[in-house]
Amino acid sequence: MTSDEVLDEFREAGALLEGHFILSSGLRSPIFLQKALVFRDAARTERLCKALAAKIGAEVNEELTAIVSPAMGGIIPGYETSRHLKLPFLFVEREEGEFRLRRGFELNRGDRVLIIEDIVTTGLSSRECIAAVEKTGAKVVAEGCLVDRSGGRADVGVPLTALASVTFPAYPADDLPPELERIPAVKPGSRGLQA
């Protein structure tokens, strides 16, 4: 599946939005990928995650023992990708502002973990997820995501396999282009939600 085909899936789901958005990273962008609209369609989600699993299988030459995703946005693609890779799936959640394994999830020293994200912009959530996994003694060997909207510039700390790599503009809040300044900003993401 090409980057254009992935974006077509988002367009067809009504999930490629235009306006003025506050991203989870805090950056502002005229483009937002509302993956929840993609994930409400099980067949579309399966198509995307099956393609991601195949790409990971071709690119990651490491033995893997588990998949971990950050809540909230990574749960559905993490689960669905784990199904195709036939690996156990766990997720981390924020507790007092920090990602942690909860709900009886455990990793052991020697586990070799693949992180699965939905969309990567700066890599902050990925790095926080990796830090939480490494506190258990497990090793994160790679990460996969549906869309890398940094066009390959985000540093997640491990090799990243993206089903689609695109470059959408993103700006600091104090350095907006005039066309964004004229539009009220909305924050459709999940960072900051508490469980």
Side-chain angles (χ1 to χ4, degrees):
M1 190 174 277
T2 67
S3 291
D4 286 340
E5 290 170 329
V6 173
L7 292 180
D8 284 344
E9 293 279 3
F10 276 78
R11 277 188 197 92
E12 290 168 15
L16 201 154
L17 309 178
E18 295 183 28
H20 180 180
F21 302 100
I22 303 170
L23 306 177
S24 293
S25 64
L27 295 174
R28 308 291 184 92
S29 180
I31 305 291
F32 187 78
L33 298 173
Q34 183 53 278
K35 67 261 178 187
L37 296 175
V38 171
F39 298 154
R40 71 181 175 178
D41 181 334
R44 186 182 311 278
T45 302
E46 180 180 20
R47 232 178 357 262
L48 289 166
C49 294
K50 185 176 184 180
L52 178 59
K55 191 168 185 181
I56 289 167
E59 292 184 9
V60 176
N61 297 316
E62 302 252 6
E63 180 185 346
L64 301 169
T65 59
I67 289 179
V68 175
S69 291
M72 206 30 224
I75 292 177
I76 292 172
Y79 172 80
E80 186 63 23
T81 304
S82 75
R83 198 169 69 81
H84 294 288
L85 291 174
K86 297 180 176 31
L87 291 168
F89 173 69
L90 304 82
F91 57 89
V92 293
E93 300 172 80
R94 290 194 190 277
E95 187 176 69
E96 297 177 13
E98 187 175 318
F99 277 137
R100 291 187 172 91
L101 289 171
R102 299 176 58 203
R103 302 176 194 270
F105 289 149
E106 292 181 355
L107 290 168
N108 299 305
R109 187 169 300 283
D111 279 332
R112 301 178 60 74
V113 174
L114 172 69
I115 302 295
I116 293 291
E117 272 271 29
D118 50 3
I119 297 167
V120 170
T121 301
T122 64
L124 176 61
S125 290
S126 298
R127 291 187 302 273
E128 291 174 336
C129 184
I130 290 167
V133 168
E134 290 180 343
K135 281 183 181 178
T136 70
K139 178 180 171 135
V140 176
V141 297
E143 178 171 335
C145 68
L146 293 176
V147 180
D148 172 5
R149 61 175 288 150
S150 80
R153 291 186 314 276
D155 178 10
V156 299
V158 295
L160 177 64
T161 297
L163 188 57
S165 182
V166 295
T167 304
F168 290 135
Y171 309 95
D174 61 355
D175 190 22
L176 297 176
E179 62 273 15
L180 274 190
E181 284 182 342
R182 289 191 288 271
I183 304 169
V186 295
K187 185 176 183 182
S190 64
R191 181 172 297 216
L193 294 178
Q194 296 297 318

